[in-house]
Structure formats: C-alpha cells, structure tokens
Amino acid sequence: MIQMDEKTVSSEMIYDGRVLHVFKDNILLPNGEPSIREYVKHVGAVCILPLTDEGEVILERQYRYPFHEVLIEIPAGKLDGPDEDPRAAALRELREETGAVPRELHYLGDFLGSPAIMGERIRMFFARGLVFENQKLDEDEFLEVFRMPFDDLIAEILAGNIPDGKTQAAALRVAALLAKEKQQ
C-alpha cells in the first residue's frame, strides 16, 4: 500500500469565527517534502430527509449567502458542540425547522462536502412516521417549509435542479433504501 499520510509540523489558527475556524498548517508530504495546508474546522452538522406517510419529503427554501440565492434543501443544522449526540441534534433541528417529530430515525452515513479544505462532517438521517407540532425557528432563521413527492425530488436532483450536495446524497441513499425494502 502506498504511504499517503501527511505529518503536521506546526499549526496556526488564522481566523477564529463563530462557526468557522481557519488554520494554516506546515506539513511534511509522504515523500518528506514540506508543504502548507489551509483548511477550515467546523463543529459538525446533521441533515434529515423527512418522509411523510403520503410519500412526500419535507423540504426548505433558504437563502444561502455565499451563493446569493435561495436553495432547496432538506432540514439541517450544526451541532451545538463537538460532544453533542448527532441523533439528538437531528431530532432538534427537524423539530425546530419543520415541526416534525419522527417515530423512526435512521442513520444514513456521513457526508463530507469538501474534504480537501473543509473539516465539516454532516451526519445524514432518514425520518419516517412523522407527527407534526409547532415549528420553532431560531431568531436568525428565515426559511419556507414545503412538501414535494419523493419521486419528484429524485427527478429534480437527476435533472440538476437541486445543487445542494447533502440533499442529493441523502435522497439518493433513501431511494436505494426504499428500493431494497420493496424487494424484501
């Protein structure tokens, strides 16, 4: 097996923000040559694909500043801290953003959106058996919650109309899971 590990020589935080922490590390490449890595540390996040008993996905339209546009996404949010249980965070975010409380919550795996520069790990979940209560948005959250048939979501993703990576990954994993369930 090829040696690929890079060794950290020194690490310097060059920005310490509320959500992002940017680092510049001096490293040694596998061949022993020096190099530099700049990357962002992030506490982590969760996303949830909530599916109603009628086969509709609960989605959100939300303005995303880096792109200056409104995107369609599944509910998601960052962990409150590095030790927060991702399952508890998923239940919290789903309840706050959509009012939905699931009877079933299944872990789908992790999504690493930009692993070359970003240390954000998004844990993906699939929620079913939804019961609806009141939405409890944070003061700085502005989003529109709506429903779309699951098959339409898959079609929109495959047509290139939903660019959000975590939404794509979770939806396609759920599609595979549901197809497997139908075969059993």
Side-chain angles (χ1 to χ4, degrees), residues 97-164:
E97 293 184 3
T98 70
V101 177
R103 285 188 292 274
E104 298 176 37
L105 187 66
H106 305 279
Y107 176 66
L108 296 172
D110 291 355
F111 178 77
L112 308 178
S114 187
I117 62 167
M118 204 54 188
E120 179 183 42
R121 178 181 304 272
I122 302 175
R123 286 163 175 110
M124 299 183 295
F125 292 89
F126 173 38
R128 293 198 265 199
L130 306 177
V131 175
F132 290 90
E133 298 177 0
N134 290 328
Q135 181 185 45
K136 293 184 179 180
L137 293 175
D138 293 336
E139 285 182 13
D140 61 349
E141 276 185 308
F142 302 92
L143 52 89
E144 174 191 349
V145 176
F146 69 102
R147 296 178 184 208
M148 177 184 290
F150 182 71
D151 290 342
D152 290 357
L153 174 63
I154 298 300
E156 289 293 304
I157 287 169
L158 295 176
N161 296 329
I162 306 221
D164 179 60

